[in-house]
């Protein structure tokens, strides 16, 4: 007779899928683990292979599935697997051991393993991460000792063990487990043709064939769990402009991916170049700003300067409470905030339009079809806010080394005015406010990076430190004083 071992942790809120702890909540990770254990146990139970569960942890944590359960024994993972298999080989002719977090385990994996054992000594189903999700034996071969598990070399080291014993082995089709965010997405779409695209500060993007999969982790506009649906609906509206990607499907929650996500068109191209592509940028932005839609479907910034100022205060407050803050930086930003406040906050929108509110060069794809991407914060505002954000030093210098001169900014606005009129007084005011937004965001992000921010990278941290440097702040101060200071 044959035996199948389901080898698992007894899942609880503290031990489930810990590598996903910054992406999924404890509850979401526990639900995922229970789902995987349940579906894999049901598969082997239905195949009548005399399944048995070897578990580590508290038996009561496995009450959600039936079946005979035995506590694992041994000092490490290899010893525990060896003991479980050897124990069952005392009573059964062939034993297959499977992991519990396998996402695409099939009946064929298990049935074929038993059949192939007639001709081979060991059968293994490799996993993508360099380990394996299934191993089958018909005799007590110690191929588990002295192997460092949870590394990319587990499969290779195991094969060396088999060969050193003079035994034969057979590799089944690879099997997938779930340890990372990418694993979740592969499982969700049942396809390994998933590649990571550039992530933003609050979102994740993956490429799947000719589509982009977009996942949001936080809302910058106070929408909470409704953030991504708002972005999806905004892009649906913006499709009429023909300068944004098409969106396809919105999912409040996936089968494996316990987050909202949507799919949209993948567009080939490159990032915008501030020296060569400004005419294209002017046409793209004006196409959005001139779009005739129902404004009631969007958030409004009725008093945009007041709303921006409140955002500055909230972000900067985190830096002010930061024990490692630089008092000179704090003083300089406080001066900027005072200048911004004195410039007047109680001003209403005069010429409303849809705006993106966040426009660095990577928000543009330039190619056969040029588009504006990343619509996390679309609101009804004024075109001058978008234009100023696009041109301000804290934007142009964010992902490049470019800082535009005032003449270069004015040249761009003249191109833009072929399509839409610009209020230059408002533009200059927004220029000041947007640069202050960049600085106060950096002050907040500086604190978050010190606290091991989930979405983080070295390039971003370099820019944060640069924008909070005295040299950069003094450069901005010259601008403030020129137009609004004394």
């Amino acid at each position: 007779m044959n035996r199948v071992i389901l080898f698992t942790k007894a899942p609880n809120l503290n031990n489930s899928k810990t590598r996903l702890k910054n992406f999924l909540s404890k509850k979401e990770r526990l639900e995922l683990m229970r789902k995987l254990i349940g579906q894999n146990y049901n598969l082997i139970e239905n195949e009548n292979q005399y399944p048995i569960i070897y578990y580590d942890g508290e038996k009561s944590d496995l009450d959600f599935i039936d079946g005979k359960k035995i506590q694992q024994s041994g000092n490490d993972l290899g010893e525990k697997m060896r003991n479980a298999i050897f124990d069952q080989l005392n009573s059964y002719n062939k034993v297959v051991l499977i992991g519990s977090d396998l996402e695409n385990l099939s009946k064929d994996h298990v049935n074929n393993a038993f059949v192939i054992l007639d001709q081979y000594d060991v059968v293994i189903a490799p996993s993508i991460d360099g380990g394996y999700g299934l191993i089958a034996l018909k005799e007590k071969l110690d191929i588990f000792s002295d192997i460092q598990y949870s590394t990319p070399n587990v499969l290779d080291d195991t094969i060396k063990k088999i060969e050193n014993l003079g035994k034969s082995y057979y590799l089944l089709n690879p099997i997938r487990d779930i340890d990372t965010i990418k694993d979740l997405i592969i499982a969700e779409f049942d396809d390994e043709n998933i590649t990571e695209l550039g992530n933003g500060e609050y979102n994740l993007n993956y490429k799947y064939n000719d589509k982009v999969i977009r996942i949001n982790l936080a809302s910058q506009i106070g929408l909470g769990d409704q953030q991504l649906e708002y972005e999806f609906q905004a892009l649906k509206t913006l499709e009429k402009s023909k300068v944004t990607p098409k969106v396809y499907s919105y999912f409040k929650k996936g089968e494996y991916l316990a987050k909202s996500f949507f799919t949209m068109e993948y567009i080939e191209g490159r990032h915008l170049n501030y020296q060569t592509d400004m005419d294209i940028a002017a046409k793209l932005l004006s196409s959005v700003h001139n779009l005739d839609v129902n404004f009631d479907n969007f958030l409004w910034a009725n008093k945009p300067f007041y709303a921006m100022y409140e955002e500055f205060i909230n972000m900067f407050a985190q830096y002010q409470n930061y024990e490692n803050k630089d008092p000179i930086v704090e003083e300089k930003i406080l001066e900027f905030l005072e200048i911004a406040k004195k410039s007047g906050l109680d001003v209403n929108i005069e010429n409303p339009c849809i705006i993106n509110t966040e426009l660095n060069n990577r928000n543009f794809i330039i190619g056969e079809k040029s588009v504006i991407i990343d619509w996390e914060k679309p609101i009804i505002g004024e075109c001058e806010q978008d234009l100023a954000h696009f041109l301000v030093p804290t934007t142009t210098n964010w992902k490049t080394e470019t800082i535009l001169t005032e003449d270069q900014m004015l040249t761009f606005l003249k191109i833009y005015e072929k399509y839409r009129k610009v209020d230059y007084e408002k533009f200059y005011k927004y220029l000041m406010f947007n640069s202050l937004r960049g600085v106060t965001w950096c002050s907040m992000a500086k604190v978050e990076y010190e606290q091991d921010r989930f979405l983080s990278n070295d390039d971003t941290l370099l820019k944060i430190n640069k924008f909070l440097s005295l040299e950069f702040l003094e450069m901005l101060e010259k601008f403030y004083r020129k137009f609004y200071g004394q």
Side-chain angles (χ1 to χ4, degrees), residues 214-230:
R214 186 164 173 84
I215 307 166
N216 179 264
L217 302 182
S219 176
Q220 298 186 74
I221 46 180
L223 293 178
D225 293 341
Q226 298 178 16
Q227 165 64 39
L228 208 65
E229 185 174 12
Y230 177 79

Side-chain angles (χ1 to χ4, degrees), residues 169-187:
Y169 68 91
Y170 184 91
L171 299 181
L172 297 169
N173 290 332
I175 198 164
R176 299 194 296 252
D177 56 10
I178 293 181
D179 288 313
T180 66
I181 299 172
K182 185 176 179 180
D183 293 337
L184 281 172
I185 297 170
I186 289 173

Side-chain angles (χ1 to χ4, degrees), residues 418-472:
K418 295 178 182 178
Y419 313 105
R420 185 182 176 94
K421 183 174 175 56
V422 175
D423 182 327
Y424 281 81
E425 183 177 349
K426 277 197 171 180
F427 167 77
Y428 278 110
K429 187 170 180 178
Y430 276 118
L431 205 61
M432 175 181 66
F433 271 69
N434 275 294
S435 63
L436 185 50
R437 183 187 185 277
V439 168
T440 51
W441 183 89
C442 285
S443 73
M444 175 188 69
K446 175 76 172 177
V447 180
E448 292 178 347
Y449 267 72
E450 291 288 328
Q451 299 170 345
D452 195 23
R453 193 177 195 271
F454 176 49
L455 280 181
S456 60
N457 63 74
D458 293 339
D459 290 343
T460 297
L461 184 56
L462 285 173
K463 289 296 185 179
I464 289 171
N465 289 330
K466 177 179 180 178
F467 289 3
L468 295 178
S469 69
L470 187 59
E471 179 183 9
F472 192 87

Side-chain angles (χ1 to χ4, degrees), residues 278 282 383-384 387-388 390-391 406-424 427-428 431:
M278 298 301 265
C383 71
E384 289 82 7
L387 298 173
F390 175 58
L391 299 172
E406 185 180 357
D407 285 344
Q408 288 173 316
M409 294 181 191
L410 294 174
T411 298
F412 171 80
L413 294 181
K414 290 301 181 185
I415 299 172
Y416 177 89
E417 282 200 297
K418 295 178 182 178
Y419 313 105
R420 185 182 176 94
K421 183 174 175 56
V422 175
D423 182 327
Y424 281 81
F427 167 77
Y428 278 110
L431 205 61

